[in-house]
Amino acid sequence: MAGIVNFRPTPVIRPSLTPRKPLNRVSFKISAEIKETSQNLGVSSTSSPTIKPPPNFKPPKPTRFAIRPDRILDVLTASLGLIFRLGTGIFVSGYSASFVSRNEIPPGDYAFEFGGVTMKETSKLGPRPEKPIEIYEFEGCPFCKKVREIVSVLDLDVLYYPCPMNGPNFRPKVAQMGGKKQFPYMVDPNTGVAMYESDSIIKYLSDKYGDGTVPLALSLGLLTTLTEGFAMIGRMGKGSSYTPSKLPPKPLELWAYEPSPFCKVVREVLVELEIPHILHSCARGSPKRQILFKKAGHFQVPYLEDPNTGVEMFESAEIVDYLRATYVS
């Protein structure tokens, strides 16, 4: 082992906590939640629209660090968030990385490799929720972005219900559940807790599924909100307005994490089309990187799984094309 790099969040809010048993494994119970969610969407097998992939569709082969020429501007403007937010959400809680020889990585194990350098990444995560947290929000909202960043830091799986302006399905549902159309709105099916207010949601998630520490970049009040807004200037409101679409019988699944510009352009389209999706957050240090590596034979995000068509695919530009071709009504 040639060196160690450690990243730890600055303690800002640390309330007293009851002792918790250490976690020995990461478990995911997704299939049952997807089935239950599809029923909650109010879409039955007889009334739901027929969802088919585009004719002659073939998922593309993944290409690392490549940008399709017609998407360069999208990726560049989506990258502004990395600058204004100083990379908040790139690393999960308790991230550490060890520089190792490639021979030290067992076959079938994920490790980050770039320019001949191999890193083994680990983290220290808090308790894992049995069911995905449910969040109603939309991309073009700085308060929603704050919550998405803590989701990335805490490495949580979240069932997102997109609420773009003029969206006919989930915006009205928030008003029915909470009494007002305000975003983000969080529901934790594991505890029954539901709440508005981004700072309250961040505090709750940090206490319940972290060590009680709120990262400094999410604790600066107005400055945090302003930089969240500046981070989205280049996208000119994308991910905020509804595009008429077919509501899928089952939520899609997206492997991604908030700071990635490639993931952001996919999320924008999911929100505009008001497509519910489970996001498997997998920032640097996430154990879910190994899960995706084993599942797909390769780690790269975004990675989309559509249970309505059976399509599984990498490459952000092609995912965007697929979503529009399949779900725009």
Side-chain angles (χ1 to χ4, degrees), residues 51-279:
I51 306 295
K52 295 181 179 179
N56 303 317
F57 175 80
K58 292 183 179 180
K61 294 182 179 180
T63 306
R64 295 188 70 189
F65 308 117
I67 306 176
R68 207 171 72 185
D70 63 324
R71 297 294 182 181
I72 291 176
L73 183 60
D74 281 334
V75 173
L76 288 177
T77 53
S79 299
L80 288 177
L82 291 169
I83 300 172
F84 284 108
R85 295 297 300 143
L86 302 177
T88 304
I90 287 181
F91 304 105
V92 302
S93 181
Y95 175 85
S96 65
S98 306
F99 296 98
V100 299
S101 167
R102 185 66 187 88
N103 296 331
E104 295 181 47
I105 306 298
D109 279 12
Y110 166 77
F112 178 76
E113 295 183 75
F114 183 73
V117 175
T118 302
M119 286 199 306
K120 185 175 182 180
E121 301 170 300
T122 59
S123 57
K124 296 179 180 178
L125 301 176
R128 303 291 84 189
E130 289 190 5
K131 299 178 182 180
I133 308 300
E134 299 174 11
I135 298 179
Y136 296 76
E137 55 93 64
F138 62 99
E139 268 287 328
C141 166
F143 302 99
C144 299
K145 182 170 171 54
K146 289 165 61 177
V147 172
R148 294 196 302 270
E149 286 178 351
I150 196 62
V151 164
S152 186
V153 171
L154 297 176
D155 197 44
L156 298 174
D157 282 355
V158 171
L159 172 53
Y160 282 108
Y161 290 101
C163 299
M165 289 181 287
N166 301 317
N169 295 300
F170 305 119
R171 225 167 227 264
K173 185 178 178 182
V174 169
Q176 293 172 0
M177 292 189 299
K180 53 185 175 180
K181 291 184 181 180
Q182 178 177 311
F183 306 95
Y185 181 69
M186 183 212 72
V187 177
D188 186 347
N190 304 282
T191 62
V193 170
M195 63 176 66
Y196 293 100
E197 300 296 339
S198 57
D199 288 338
S200 298
I201 294 171
I202 289 170
K203 178 69 164 53
Y204 169 81
L205 293 176
S206 298
D207 287 347
K208 189 68 179 176
Y209 302 113
D211 63 1
T213 300
V214 176
L216 177 63
L218 289 170
S219 306
L220 300 177
L222 179 60
L223 181 59
T224 295
T225 304
L226 288 174
T227 54
E228 299 284 13
F230 292 150
M232 297 184 293
I233 286 177
R235 300 306 294 148
M236 302 295 288
K238 291 186 181 297
S240 299
S241 299
Y242 175 66
T243 297
S245 62
K246 295 175 283 189
L247 185 65
K250 299 178 182 179
L252 279 60
E253 298 187 52
L254 182 68
W255 300 72
Y257 62 106
E258 174 59 23
S260 165
F262 299 97
C263 299
K264 182 173 181 61
V265 296
V266 171
R267 270 265 312 161
E268 288 172 348
V269 175
L270 286 167
V271 171
E272 290 171 357
L273 298 179
E274 207 184 24
I275 298 176
H277 54 282
I278 292 179
L279 188 140

